[in-house]
Amino acid sequence: MSFIISIILITILSSNLPAQNEPLIQNPDGRHGLSLDGAWQIIIDPYDNGYYDYRYQPRGDGYFLNQKSRSESDLIEYDFDRSETLNVPGDWNSQQVKLFLYEGTIWYKKDFQYHQQPGHRLFLYFGAANYAAQVYLNSQKIGEHIGGFTPFNFEITDRIMDGNNFLIVRVNDQRRREGVPTLNTDWWNYGGLTRSVRLIETPQTFIRDYFIQLKKNSRDTIQGWIQLDGNSLKQSLKVNIPAAGISQKVVTNEQGYAEFTFKGKLELWSPENPKLYDVEIAAKSDTVLDRIGFRTISCDGAKLLLNGSPIFLRGVSIHEQTPLREGRACTAADDRRLLTWAKELGCNFVRLAHYPHNEPMLRLADEMGLMVWSEIPVYWTILFDNPEVYQNASRQLSEMLSRDKNRAAIIIWSVGNETPRGDARLEFLKGLIGQIREYDPTRLISAATELNYSDNTIMINDPLSNYLDVIGANEYLGWYVRKPEEIPLLAWKNTYAKPLIISEFGAGAKFGYHGKPITRWTEEYQNRVYELQIEMLQKIPCLAGITPWILTDFRSPRRPLPEIQDFWNRKGLISEKGEKKMAFYTLQKFYQQLQQ
Ligand code: GCB
């Protein structure tokens, strides 16, 4: 039995989560609805008392019932209405000092009014909840979701009440060995309803999903598909791109599905000209508007080609860590701050590490002309031989692909970061790569691999590279590996005729700490590593880009060194207060030279 078949079988038999979540509604911002963002009442529940009874069995009368004492003798040991609040979207750790290190369960409750429109359908859409969420509407369970960085939605047409409603969500962010990511990461485990929550209202039959991009390697063939949902599935639709004079008829089949291919003369999207078109999909009963860019991305041997021309990726890695205040980035201003800094640095590319960032961030990258590497949190040593872990990773991957497939900015999907070599890992990642190839043939696939060092030769020889289009490699020469002065002595050997991106290099520095370039944590040390790296990297013939680690300092529980780290990973080019370190200007200068 093949690996994949056995995974599917074992998973169906053993998992209590659905093999597939309800398909995502494409473009949630472009739909009618009601935002549920704002203050939510919360109950902090470190022992999961609202979920399990004293025998640790799931409770039928959990906090989701939102009970109230009806008489003075009633015993109800919680009360949402007298509880404190947290803001949604937002992680809990940065909103209250006592929650800074909290990992566990918090119950969220939101009251809202809704008056159902006859003939309409209603969906609940969560941008993300880290890590596991159970959702209850008016005390009834609606569904659940695992994975902290991707959206999920549930239809609630038959569950909503006319008038007052309440929504309760149990969010649990305990790290787990069999999780994706697993117990061990180098970023803060920000818990909670970290992204927007909204109600989406649709007609009876609506456009649930669509994929519109240029056909691989063609600059004038637009290709894609549309999926309707409802009871009138066979329809004649129009795909309109008015600025390009396109109005194309598309007819869906009995399943509400249609594929299309048509010619169009388009101005192509690029960092220099991030052209986005208004694209309208018009069905009889529903119309969706989106802003979509069109470009091609491909490889020619070790060359990377954007719209057919060679391109070097002047990049930087970014965590979804807010600049200037603490917490997970979740506002339009946070996203714009981060991407504006990347532009100031001279970037045309960003690696959004180590998980899918919020959807508005991708839309902003589209607008600002930044190419994107997007990845799932298959990070370090997850349990590669566990079929449930595979299914979890695969679901998170499909949610990322589904959500972001129309963003021209995304040129690379990445399946993993620094995963250890081995058979189970190879099979696991090959499975995910196959999944991407089948769903989205228009983009390139990579992974951040590790290198082998033998004397003064650095070898790019991870067997995973056989299955990648672009090889990503993380190296910390001058920081974890070798001394900075050894950098110029090293030679690189690439076994593959494929483009290489140095997906990480860097060094830690505390902003404002100055000293000799051999003194760890000084800006001078970090700057010297950047200078030497830049010199070395330019000699690698297959180098197609770099995404140094990292744009800003970010919170990490692995970084306790007092007065230097204080739980910040200090490899940022910019401090958590927005101060630029010396290395920022060194990289900026290099990127300027590359553009001359
Ligand atoms: C890495 C990881 C990244 C860490 C970084 C570091 O190799 O991919 O997640 O934060 O090193 O700072 O050590």
Side-chain angles (χ1 to χ4, degrees), residues 186-187 319 351 354 379-380 417-418 474 476 480 504 549 554 559 569 571:
D186 187 25
W187 69 84
H319 255 300
R351 175 183 179 202
H354 278 303
Y379 182 89
W380 291 353
N417 180 75
E418 292 181 356
N474 294 355
Y476 279 92
Y480 297 128
E504 289 180 30
W549 195 253
F554 62 97
R559 311 291 171 179
N569 183 315
K571 295 189 191 73

PDB file of all heavy atoms in Angstrom, residues 186-187 319 351 354 379-380 417-418 474 476 480 504 549 554 559 569 571, ligand 1:
ATOM      1  N   ASP A 186      10.733  28.672  17.355  1.00  0.00           N
ATOM      2  CA  ASP A 186      11.473  29.857  17.795  1.00  0.00           C
ATOM      3  C   ASP A 186      10.613  31.102  17.583  1.00  0.00           C
ATOM      4  O   ASP A 186      11.073  32.093  17.057  1.00  0.00           O
ATOM      5  CB  ASP A 186      12.803  29.954  17.022  1.00  0.00           C
ATOM      6  CG  ASP A 186      13.695  31.072  17.569  1.00  0.00           C
ATOM      7  OD1 ASP A 186      13.557  31.431  18.754  1.00  0.00           O
ATOM      8  OD2 ASP A 186      14.528  31.588  16.801  1.00  0.00           O
ATOM      9  N   TRP A 187       9.325  31.002  17.935  1.00  0.00           N
ATOM     10  CA  TRP A 187       8.496  32.207  17.926  1.00  0.00           C
ATOM     11  C   TRP A 187       7.460  32.078  19.026  1.00  0.00           C
ATOM     12  O   TRP A 187       7.237  30.994  19.551  1.00  0.00           O
ATOM     13  CB  TRP A 187       7.845  32.438  16.557  1.00  0.00           C
ATOM     14  CG  TRP A 187       6.787  31.470  16.126  1.00  0.00           C
ATOM     15  CD1 TRP A 187       5.462  31.508  16.460  1.00  0.00           C
ATOM     16  CD2 TRP A 187       6.956  30.333  15.253  1.00  0.00           C
ATOM     17  NE1 TRP A 187       4.798  30.473  15.863  1.00  0.00           N
ATOM     18  CE2 TRP A 187       5.682  29.742  15.107  1.00  0.00           C
ATOM     19  CE3 TRP A 187       8.046  29.768  14.578  1.00  0.00           C
ATOM     20  CZ2 TRP A 187       5.474  28.596  14.327  1.00  0.00           C
ATOM     21  CZ3 TRP A 187       7.826  28.638  13.808  1.00  0.00           C
ATOM     22  CH2 TRP A 187       6.561  28.062  13.673  1.00  0.00           C
ATOM     23  N   HIS A 319       8.411  37.817  10.312  1.00  0.00           N
ATOM     24  CA  HIS A 319       7.440  37.133  11.171  1.00  0.00           C
ATOM     25  C   HIS A 319       6.218  38.025  11.284  1.00  0.00           C
ATOM     26  O   HIS A 319       6.314  39.243  11.143  1.00  0.00           O
ATOM     27  CB  HIS A 319       8.010  36.933  12.586  1.00  0.00           C
ATOM     28  CG  HIS A 319       8.425  35.530  12.889  1.00  0.00           C
ATOM     29  ND1 HIS A 319       7.542  34.478  12.859  1.00  0.00           N
ATOM     30  CD2 HIS A 319       9.624  35.015  13.250  1.00  0.00           C
ATOM     31  CE1 HIS A 319       8.202  33.360  13.182  1.00  0.00           C
ATOM     32  NE2 HIS A 319       9.461  33.647  13.415  1.00  0.00           N
ATOM     33  N   ARG A 351       9.914  36.818   2.475  1.00  0.00           N
ATOM     34  CA  ARG A 351       9.571  35.460   2.928  1.00  0.00           C
ATOM     35  C   ARG A 351       8.683  35.629   4.151  1.00  0.00           C
ATOM     36  O   ARG A 351       9.147  36.096   5.204  1.00  0.00           O
ATOM     37  CB  ARG A 351      10.837  34.688   3.295  1.00  0.00           C
ATOM     38  CG  ARG A 351      10.511  33.329   3.884  1.00  0.00           C
ATOM     39  CD  ARG A 351      11.743  32.540   4.325  1.00  0.00           C
ATOM     40  NE  ARG A 351      11.325  31.272   4.887  1.00  0.00           N
ATOM     41  CZ  ARG A 351      12.037  30.527   5.718  1.00  0.00           C
ATOM     42  NH1 ARG A 351      13.256  30.915   6.060  1.00  0.00           N
ATOM     43  NH2 ARG A 351      11.580  29.402   6.191  1.00  0.00           N
ATOM     44  N   HIS A 354       6.690  31.816   9.615  1.00  0.00           N
ATOM     45  CA  HIS A 354       6.918  30.429   9.233  1.00  0.00           C
ATOM     46  C   HIS A 354       5.573  29.737   9.054  1.00  0.00           C
ATOM     47  O   HIS A 354       5.439  28.555   9.305  1.00  0.00           O
ATOM     48  CB  HIS A 354       7.670  29.700  10.347  1.00  0.00           C
ATOM     49  CG  HIS A 354       9.146  29.888  10.362  1.00  0.00           C
ATOM     50  ND1 HIS A 354       9.948  29.578   9.281  1.00  0.00           N
ATOM     51  CD2 HIS A 354       9.979  30.332  11.297  1.00  0.00           C
ATOM     52  CE1 HIS A 354      11.220  29.834   9.599  1.00  0.00           C
ATOM     53  NE2 HIS A 354      11.260  30.301  10.817  1.00  0.00           N
ATOM     54  N   TYR A 379       7.709  22.681  10.594  1.00  0.00           N
ATOM     55  CA  TYR A 379       8.903  23.347  11.115  1.00  0.00           C
ATOM     56  C   TYR A 379       9.656  22.370  12.017  1.00  0.00           C
ATOM     57  O   TYR A 379       9.054  21.735  12.888  1.00  0.00           O
ATOM     58  CB  TYR A 379       8.420  24.567  11.908  1.00  0.00           C
ATOM     59  CG  TYR A 379       9.476  25.451  12.515  1.00  0.00           C
ATOM     60  CD1 TYR A 379      10.012  26.526  11.803  1.00  0.00           C
ATOM     61  CD2 TYR A 379       9.911  25.244  13.826  1.00  0.00           C
ATOM     62  CE1 TYR A 379      10.951  27.363  12.375  1.00  0.00           C
ATOM     63  CE2 TYR A 379      10.855  26.082  14.404  1.00  0.00           C
ATOM     64  CZ  TYR A 379      11.368  27.146  13.672  1.00  0.00           C
ATOM     65  OH  TYR A 379      12.297  27.986  14.241  1.00  0.00           O
ATOM     66  N   TRP A 380      10.950  22.273  11.779  1.00  0.00           N
ATOM     67  CA  TRP A 380      11.819  21.405  12.589  1.00  0.00           C
ATOM     68  C   TRP A 380      11.280  19.970  12.667  1.00  0.00           C
ATOM     69  O   TRP A 380      10.902  19.394  11.659  1.00  0.00           O
ATOM     70  CB  TRP A 380      12.076  22.042  13.962  1.00  0.00           C
ATOM     71  CG  TRP A 380      12.943  23.278  13.892  1.00  0.00           C
ATOM     72  CD1 TRP A 380      13.593  23.763  12.794  1.00  0.00           C
ATOM     73  CD2 TRP A 380      13.253  24.182  14.962  1.00  0.00           C
ATOM     74  NE1 TRP A 380      14.291  24.901  13.133  1.00  0.00           N
ATOM     75  CE2 TRP A 380      14.109  25.182  14.449  1.00  0.00           C
ATOM     76  CE3 TRP A 380      12.902  24.243  16.321  1.00  0.00           C
ATOM     77  CZ2 TRP A 380      14.609  26.226  15.220  1.00  0.00           C
ATOM     78  CZ3 TRP A 380      13.398  25.290  17.099  1.00  0.00           C
ATOM     79  CH2 TRP A 380      14.242  26.266  16.543  1.00  0.00           C
ATOM     80  N   ASN A 417      10.407  23.989   6.873  1.00  0.00           N
ATOM     81  CA  ASN A 417      11.591  24.738   7.283  1.00  0.00           C
ATOM     82  C   ASN A 417      12.505  23.883   8.152  1.00  0.00           C
ATOM     83  O   ASN A 417      12.078  23.388   9.211  1.00  0.00           O
ATOM     84  CB  ASN A 417      11.182  25.974   8.088  1.00  0.00           C
ATOM     85  CG  ASN A 417      12.393  26.774   8.544  1.00  0.00           C
ATOM     86  OD1 ASN A 417      13.024  27.475   7.741  1.00  0.00           O
ATOM     87  ND2 ASN A 417      12.762  26.661   9.815  1.00  0.00           N
ATOM     88  N   GLU A 418      13.733  23.694   7.694  1.00  0.00           N
ATOM     89  CA  GLU A 418      14.770  22.986   8.448  1.00  0.00           C
ATOM     90  C   GLU A 418      14.265  21.672   9.013  1.00  0.00           C
ATOM     91  O   GLU A 418      14.416  21.384  10.199  1.00  0.00           O
ATOM     92  CB  GLU A 418      15.302  23.875   9.577  1.00  0.00           C
ATOM     93  CG  GLU A 418      16.071  25.064   9.069  1.00  0.00           C
ATOM     94  CD  GLU A 418      16.630  25.950  10.186  1.00  0.00           C
ATOM     95  OE1 GLU A 418      16.358  25.670  11.363  1.00  0.00           O
ATOM     96  OE2 GLU A 418      17.339  26.907   9.856  1.00  0.00           O
ATOM     97  N   ASN A 474      18.981  27.457   4.511  1.00  0.00           N
ATOM     98  CA  ASN A 474      19.268  28.323   5.663  1.00  0.00           C
ATOM     99  C   ASN A 474      20.705  28.082   6.100  1.00  0.00           C
ATOM    100  O   ASN A 474      21.141  26.931   6.214  1.00  0.00           O
ATOM    101  CB  ASN A 474      18.358  27.982   6.842  1.00  0.00           C
ATOM    102  CG  ASN A 474      16.892  28.297   6.572  1.00  0.00           C
ATOM    103  OD1 ASN A 474      16.553  28.862   5.537  1.00  0.00           O
ATOM    104  ND2 ASN A 474      16.033  27.938   7.503  1.00  0.00           N
ATOM    105  N   TYR A 476      23.791  29.764   8.869  1.00  0.00           N
ATOM    106  CA  TYR A 476      24.122  30.780   9.872  1.00  0.00           C
ATOM    107  C   TYR A 476      25.619  30.923  10.050  1.00  0.00           C
ATOM    108  O   TYR A 476      26.122  30.978  11.173  1.00  0.00           O
ATOM    109  CB  TYR A 476      23.388  30.475  11.188  1.00  0.00           C
ATOM    110  CG  TYR A 476      21.951  30.968  11.117  1.00  0.00           C
ATOM    111  CD1 TYR A 476      20.930  30.144  10.693  1.00  0.00           C
ATOM    112  CD2 TYR A 476      21.654  32.295  11.415  1.00  0.00           C
ATOM    113  CE1 TYR A 476      19.631  30.611  10.576  1.00  0.00           C
ATOM    114  CE2 TYR A 476      20.366  32.777  11.304  1.00  0.00           C
ATOM    115  CZ  TYR A 476      19.357  31.934  10.887  1.00  0.00           C
ATOM    116  OH  TYR A 476      18.072  32.425  10.779  1.00  0.00           O
ATOM    117  N   TYR A 480      25.930  30.700  14.194  1.00  0.00           N
ATOM    118  CA  TYR A 480      25.908  29.368  14.820  1.00  0.00           C
ATOM    119  C   TYR A 480      27.028  28.493  14.267  1.00  0.00           C
ATOM    120  O   TYR A 480      27.466  27.550  14.925  1.00  0.00           O
ATOM    121  CB  TYR A 480      24.590  28.643  14.546  1.00  0.00           C
ATOM    122  CG  TYR A 480      23.356  29.294  15.113  1.00  0.00           C
ATOM    123  CD1 TYR A 480      22.244  29.553  14.309  1.00  0.00           C
ATOM    124  CD2 TYR A 480      23.272  29.645  16.458  1.00  0.00           C
ATOM    125  CE1 TYR A 480      21.097  30.129  14.816  1.00  0.00           C
ATOM    126  CE2 TYR A 480      22.124  30.227  16.978  1.00  0.00           C
ATOM    127  CZ  TYR A 480      21.044  30.470  16.154  1.00  0.00           C
ATOM    128  OH  TYR A 480      19.906  31.044  16.660  1.00  0.00           O
ATOM    129  N   GLU A 504      17.696  31.915   4.820  1.00  0.00           N
ATOM    130  CA  GLU A 504      18.045  32.542   6.100  1.00  0.00           C
ATOM    131  C   GLU A 504      19.550  32.667   6.215  1.00  0.00           C
ATOM    132  O   GLU A 504      20.286  31.736   5.883  1.00  0.00           O
ATOM    133  CB  GLU A 504      17.561  31.715   7.306  1.00  0.00           C
ATOM    134  CG  GLU A 504      16.073  31.734   7.498  1.00  0.00           C
ATOM    135  CD  GLU A 504      15.605  30.912   8.705  1.00  0.00           C
ATOM    136  OE1 GLU A 504      16.368  30.788   9.699  1.00  0.00           O
ATOM    137  OE2 GLU A 504      14.481  30.387   8.642  1.00  0.00           O
ATOM    138  N   TRP A 549      17.557  36.663   7.686  1.00  0.00           N
ATOM    139  CA  TRP A 549      16.759  36.522   8.908  1.00  0.00           C
ATOM    140  C   TRP A 549      17.127  37.638   9.860  1.00  0.00           C
ATOM    141  O   TRP A 549      18.219  37.591  10.396  1.00  0.00           O
ATOM    142  CB  TRP A 549      17.045  35.150   9.536  1.00  0.00           C
ATOM    143  CG  TRP A 549      16.054  34.752  10.571  1.00  0.00           C
ATOM    144  CD1 TRP A 549      16.240  34.722  11.929  1.00  0.00           C
ATOM    145  CD2 TRP A 549      14.712  34.310  10.354  1.00  0.00           C
ATOM    146  NE1 TRP A 549      15.109  34.309  12.558  1.00  0.00           N
ATOM    147  CE2 TRP A 549      14.157  34.046  11.617  1.00  0.00           C
ATOM    148  CE3 TRP A 549      13.922  34.141   9.211  1.00  0.00           C
ATOM    149  CZ2 TRP A 549      12.838  33.599  11.776  1.00  0.00           C
ATOM    150  CZ3 TRP A 549      12.621  33.700   9.375  1.00  0.00           C
ATOM    151  CH2 TRP A 549      12.090  33.438  10.642  1.00  0.00           C
ATOM    152  N   PHE A 554      11.885  39.759  17.114  1.00  0.00           N
ATOM    153  CA  PHE A 554      10.580  39.148  17.384  1.00  0.00           C
ATOM    154  C   PHE A 554      10.623  38.344  18.671  1.00  0.00           C
ATOM    155  O   PHE A 554      11.672  37.837  19.077  1.00  0.00           O
ATOM    156  CB  PHE A 554      10.129  38.280  16.196  1.00  0.00           C
ATOM    157  CG  PHE A 554      11.047  37.121  15.892  1.00  0.00           C
ATOM    158  CD1 PHE A 554      10.770  35.843  16.383  1.00  0.00           C
ATOM    159  CD2 PHE A 554      12.194  37.299  15.136  1.00  0.00           C
ATOM    160  CE1 PHE A 554      11.606  34.771  16.114  1.00  0.00           C
ATOM    161  CE2 PHE A 554      13.054  36.220  14.866  1.00  0.00           C
ATOM    162  CZ  PHE A 554      12.759  34.965  15.362  1.00  0.00           C
ATOM    163  N   ARG A 559      14.784  32.663  23.967  1.00  0.00           N
ATOM    164  CA  ARG A 559      15.812  33.709  23.987  1.00  0.00           C
ATOM    165  C   ARG A 559      15.795  34.479  25.301  1.00  0.00           C
ATOM    166  O   ARG A 559      15.337  35.632  25.367  1.00  0.00           O
ATOM    167  CB  ARG A 559      15.580  34.678  22.818  1.00  0.00           C
ATOM    168  CG  ARG A 559      15.364  33.995  21.472  1.00  0.00           C
ATOM    169  CD  ARG A 559      16.610  33.324  20.972  1.00  0.00           C
ATOM    170  NE  ARG A 559      16.325  32.502  19.781  1.00  0.00           N
ATOM    171  CZ  ARG A 559      17.261  31.833  19.137  1.00  0.00           C
ATOM    172  NH1 ARG A 559      18.529  31.857  19.537  1.00  0.00           N
ATOM    173  NH2 ARG A 559      16.947  31.101  18.083  1.00  0.00           N
ATOM    174  N   ASN A 569      14.150  37.489  19.979  1.00  0.00           N
ATOM    175  CA  ASN A 569      15.171  37.045  19.044  1.00  0.00           C
ATOM    176  C   ASN A 569      15.712  38.322  18.401  1.00  0.00           C
ATOM    177  O   ASN A 569      14.952  39.083  17.791  1.00  0.00           O
ATOM    178  CB  ASN A 569      14.576  36.102  17.996  1.00  0.00           C
ATOM    179  CG  ASN A 569      15.627  35.555  17.036  1.00  0.00           C
ATOM    180  OD1 ASN A 569      16.469  36.303  16.544  1.00  0.00           O
ATOM    181  ND2 ASN A 569      15.563  34.268  16.754  1.00  0.00           N
ATOM    182  N   LYS A 571      17.806  38.924  15.956  1.00  0.00           N
ATOM    183  CA  LYS A 571      18.405  38.937  14.611  1.00  0.00           C
ATOM    184  C   LYS A 571      17.737  39.940  13.687  1.00  0.00           C
ATOM    185  O   LYS A 571      18.064  40.025  12.510  1.00  0.00           O
ATOM    186  CB  LYS A 571      18.380  37.533  14.007  1.00  0.00           C
ATOM    187  CG  LYS A 571      19.265  36.570  14.804  1.00  0.00           C
ATOM    188  CD  LYS A 571      19.451  35.242  14.152  1.00  0.00           C
ATOM    189  CE  LYS A 571      20.111  34.279  15.114  1.00  0.00           C
ATOM    190  NZ  LYS A 571      19.208  33.816  16.196  1.00  0.00           N
TER     191      LYS A 571
HETATM  192  C1  GCB B   1      16.440  29.204  12.073  1.00  0.00           C
HETATM  193  C2  GCB B   1      14.976  29.091  12.018  1.00  0.00           C
HETATM  194  C3  GCB B   1      14.293  30.340  12.520  1.00  0.00           C
HETATM  195  C4  GCB B   1      15.006  30.826  13.778  1.00  0.00           C
HETATM  196  C5  GCB B   1      16.422  31.185  13.394  1.00  0.00           C
HETATM  197  C6  GCB B   1      17.266  31.653  14.591  1.00  0.00           C
HETATM  198  O1  GCB B   1      17.157  28.493  11.430  1.00  0.00           O
HETATM  199  O2  GCB B   1      14.490  28.747  10.765  1.00  0.00           O
HETATM  200  O3  GCB B   1      12.945  30.064  12.782  1.00  0.00           O
HETATM  201  O4  GCB B   1      14.348  31.891  14.369  1.00  0.00           O
HETATM  202  O5  GCB B   1      17.057  30.071  12.872  1.00  0.00           O
HETATM  203  O6  GCB B   1      17.204  32.820  14.908  1.00  0.00           O
HETATM  204  O7  GCB B   1      17.943  30.833  15.180  1.00  0.00           O
END
